Amino acid sequence: MRYAMVIDTLKCVGCSDCVVACQTENDVPIGYCRDWITETVSGTYPNIVLELKSERCNHCDNAPCVRCCPTGASHIVDGGIVLVTHNECIGCGACIESCPYDARYQHPEGYVDKCTFCHHRLEKGQLPACVSVCPTKCMYFGDLDNPNSEVSKLLKNRKWKTLAPEAGTKPNVYYLI
Amino acid sequence: MQEELFTSGRNIPNIDPSLEVWHWPIAVYLFLGGLSAGLLLFAAIITILGKEKEYPTTVKYASIITPIALSLGLLALVYDLTHPLYTWQLYTTIRLESPMSWGAWVLLVTTPLSYLWVFSYFSEIFPKRNLKFNVLKNFEKWLQKHRKNMAYILVPLSIILGVYTGILLSAFNARPLWNNAILGPLFLISGLSTGAATIILLSKTAKEKHLFSKIDLALIIIELGLIVHMIMGMYAGSQVQLDAMNLFIGGEFTLMFFGFVIILGLIVPGILELLEIKGYKIPVAIPAILILIGGLIFRFVMVEAGQLTRYLY
Ligand code: SF4
Ligand code: SF4
């Protein structure tokens, strides 16, 4: 079992529905977020390309945030999901400094928090909140170890990229391009 | 053909635009940790060489500073945690991959040792005070007998402590300014240099001042070499490292880095110490104070600038 999220940048319209769904589902305090939208404009006029994408913790296979954590609060559970145990976290910020994607934030209550791939929903057999609300259905979620899963098939048939692969973190959020 | 690249959307008031989870206490902590490492190492080496009588400040008076500095440093560290009540969680695991974890363990051993070290000199430092209880007197005697053993333990511990203040930062590959292997030795040498400066400042004998001026001058030269090495390494690096260096060269930290750290904190005191060694009358307090201030600013600059550097994607 190896969870992955596949996001189709060609279908994303940047509506931020995933962001709001996450904030509601996970009680994210105002002013913080676990996922966000970026807009990237590239090219030379008049050949300009706009890319919209929804970003979050990449649940890296080689997670520097887990390596740097001095207490073991940041850890990897089954399926490769990276989680933070709130009452083991001392709020030292080492994991925040070590994440190349700046995916973590310090919760006002002191501990560090971030996307969990909605671990609590997965346990009930549901999809992550962001995936389930996306109006353009540009997000897919599933098991990379299963060659017949939707995510495996998409990655086999489409062109894709991950973010900052040169950081060596082996991210598990894939972007179809 | 010019490529236009423009990314927006990461504008999250409490997270972006710039990462700042480590504040001034971390810089102060790194400074005090390095200073303590220097003082402990010099005291231990002088003791192992059996030269305690000749260099009393190093083994006795300056080492009063180490337990104080280490305790203040720890307080600063805990103060910067956002969940300080859980600090004990540091000692429920040993995580070798996390520099912060082994730093916490090294401090757990070194801090009490530094207290014991000073206690072994209690009667000599405070000749008028009397240790009231026999238990304490006997304990002091016992410690005095074991000073050499303590020194042997302190040599590796203080080196680890000094290197750790740099490795703590260099382990973060997400911050291009920090992510270079020179930072460990650089922080160690800089810490030793601030330790030597403190001894120069406190010492009353010309012989001790002279020895530590020489040691400090050597350390300054090594440190300058390491800084050049760091800059050249960054310039040979990827775009993110070039951007990191540009903060120092023509960027917002140029004055702080070149003016205060390199010129006022290393080159000027180095020249003054050289003149002093050559026999010119120079009040050695001046280079010593410059080095201490430069060392502190160096840590502020590294902590702050490092957090401005990040991966581009
Ligand atoms: S994206 Fe950041 S927080 Fe998430 S697993 Fe990777 S390094 Fe850790
Ligand atoms: S802030 Fe918490 S989760 Fe992050 S490294 Fe420190 S203890 Fe671990």
Side-chain angles (χ1 to χ4, degrees):
Chain A
M1 188 66 144
R2 198 153 66 87
Y3 285 119
M5 197 176 269
V6 173
I7 300 173
D8 193 339
T9 58
L10 301 180
K11 280 207 235 159
C12 176
V13 292
C15 66
S16 292
D17 222 7
C18 49
V19 179
V20 177
C22 172
Q23 286 171 326
T24 320
E25 173 73 30
N26 296 300
D27 251 331
V28 180
I30 290 173
Y32 298 87
C33 58
R34 292 178 174 191
D35 56 352
W36 57 91
I37 305 287
T38 59
E39 301 174 23
T40 305
V41 180
S42 58
T44 315
Y45 182 81
N47 301 315
I48 287 183
V49 183
L50 168 68
E51 181 189 85
L52 296 157
K53 56 185 175 337
S54 168
E55 297 182 5
R56 61 195 36 61
C57 167
N58 290 271
H59 297 274
C60 309
D61 280 348
N62 179 21
C65 53
V66 172
R67 247 182 293 128
C68 281
C69 178
T71 66
S74 284
H75 61 287
I76 300 184
V77 295
D78 283 350
I81 298 179
V82 176
L83 295 179
V84 183
T85 310
H86 294 170
N87 54 12
E88 280 178 16
C89 172
I90 60 175
C92 64
C95 55
I96 300 183
E97 301 284 8
S98 70
C99 172
Y101 310 100
D102 292 345
R104 293 174 167 239
Y105 70 97
Q106 226 139 11
H107 194 282
E109 277 174 26
Y111 55 82
V112 164
D113 203 21
K114 64 167 194 71
C115 160
T116 59
F117 268 174
C118 280
H119 189 249
H120 61 288
R121 288 173 61 99
L122 299 180
E123 282 175 331
K124 287 188 254 166
Q126 296 167 326
L127 285 171
C130 52
V131 176
S132 70
V133 298
C134 179
T136 65
K137 301 224 165 15
C138 78
M139 298 162 94
Y140 306 86
F141 191 80
D143 179 9
L144 273 188
D145 282 345
N146 174 2
N148 295 320
S149 67
E150 202 172 15
V151 285
S152 300
K153 284 190 198 144
L154 280 166
L155 294 183
K156 216 178 297 156
N157 300 323
R158 291 271 305 268
K159 260 176 106 174
W160 53 266
K161 66 173 179 187
T162 54
L163 300 183
E166 68 276 21
T169 54
K170 304 210 175 86
N172 279 312
V173 175
Y174 298 81
Y175 293 95
L176 301 177
I177 47 177
Chain B
M1 184 178 106
Q2 201 193 337
E3 172 104 340
E4 306 276 346
L5 186 76
F6 169 72
T7 302
S8 79
R10 282 225 57 163
N11 185 15
I12 309 155
N14 289 314
I15 307 179
D16 278 349
S18 76
L19 184 75
E20 219 209 330
V21 285
W22 285 356
H23 310 94
W24 64 266
I26 298 296
V28 169
Y29 161 70
L30 295 179
F31 173 74
L32 293 173
L35 176 74
S36 307
L39 290 174
L40 285 171
L41 184 65
F42 291 131
I45 291 178
I46 297 281
T47 305
I48 289 172
L49 296 177
K51 305 242 164 150
E52 296 101 314
K53 294 259 144 48
E54 291 161 65
Y55 303 106
T57 312
T58 314
V59 293
K60 230 189 283 180
Y61 304 110
S63 62
I64 305 177
I65 292 177
T66 37
I68 302 172
L70 283 175
S71 307
L72 284 179
L74 270 172
L75 273 182
L77 181 67
V78 173
Y79 175 77
D80 207 46
L81 299 179
T82 53
H83 237 191
L85 292 179
Y86 285 89
T87 310
W88 54 272
Q89 293 273 12
L90 281 172
Y91 298 109
T92 55
T93 44
I94 296 185
R95 299 184 41 82
L96 287 179
E97 281 183 318
S98 161
M100 204 176 262
S101 172
W102 51 264
W105 285 99
V106 167
L107 279 172
L108 188 74
V109 184
T110 315
T111 312
L113 256 177
S114 73
Y115 275 95
L116 292 179
W117 183 273
V118 175
F119 191 73
S120 81
Y121 278 107
F122 189 89
S123 308
E124 289 178 50
I125 299 174
F126 308 104
K128 289 201 195 93
R129 297 252 180 121
N130 204 352
L131 282 172
K132 282 206 191 74
F133 304 101
N134 271 336
V135 202
L136 290 180
K137 276 186 202 150
N138 291 337
F139 185 49
E140 191 193 2
K141 284 220 185 71
W142 183 81
L143 284 176
Q144 281 164 359
K145 245 191 278 149
H146 287 89
R147 234 180 243 148
K148 264 224 167 92
N149 292 336
M150 279 200 269
Y152 282 119
I153 306 174
L154 279 173
V155 169
L157 273 182
S158 55
I159 292 176
I160 297 175
L161 179 65
V163 174
Y164 145 76
T165 58
I167 290 190
L168 178 66
L169 300 183
S170 72
F172 296 117
N173 85 326
R175 311 290 143 212
L177 177 64
W178 293 345
N179 189 217
N180 67 81
I182 297 295
L183 237 51
L186 178 56
F187 273 60
L188 172 69
I189 297 295
S190 165
L192 296 183
S193 166
T194 55
T198 310
I199 294 173
I200 296 172
L201 210 53
L202 297 177
S203 174
K204 297 210 171 54
T205 72
K207 186 176 179 192
E208 200 168 22
K209 281 189 198 189
H210 206 68
L211 172 70
F212 279 93
S213 289
K214 273 194 203 153
I215 294 178
D216 206 21
L217 184 59
L219 291 170
I220 288 175
I221 294 169
I222 300 174
E223 193 176 337
L224 282 170
L226 289 176
I227 289 178
V228 171
H229 193 161
M230 176 176 86
I231 294 177
M232 309 236 319
M234 290 281 204
Y235 267 120
S238 58
Q239 184 60 42
V240 284
Q241 286 176 313
L242 287 173
D243 291 348
M245 258 313 103
N246 286 337
L247 285 174
F248 285 174
I249 296 164
E252 58 183 293
F253 287 90
T254 309
L255 177 68
M256 285 300 238
F257 188 69
F258 281 99
F260 288 96
V261 177
I262 298 198
I263 298 177
L264 279 179
L266 290 169
I267 295 179
V268 171
I271 294 172
L272 290 178
E273 273 167 2
L274 184 65
L275 290 176
E276 201 264 340
I277 293 167
K278 288 252 179 258
Y280 292 88
K281 277 256 164 301
I282 307 264
V284 280
I286 297 175
I289 289 173
L290 284 177
I291 285 177
L292 287 171
I293 297 175
L296 185 61
I297 295 179
F298 175 54
R299 280 147 184 93
F300 268 96
V301 169
M302 288 306 287
V303 169
E304 283 202 17
Q307 295 184 89
L308 295 180
T309 61
R310 55 174 305 208
Y311 266 89
L312 307 163
Y313 57 87

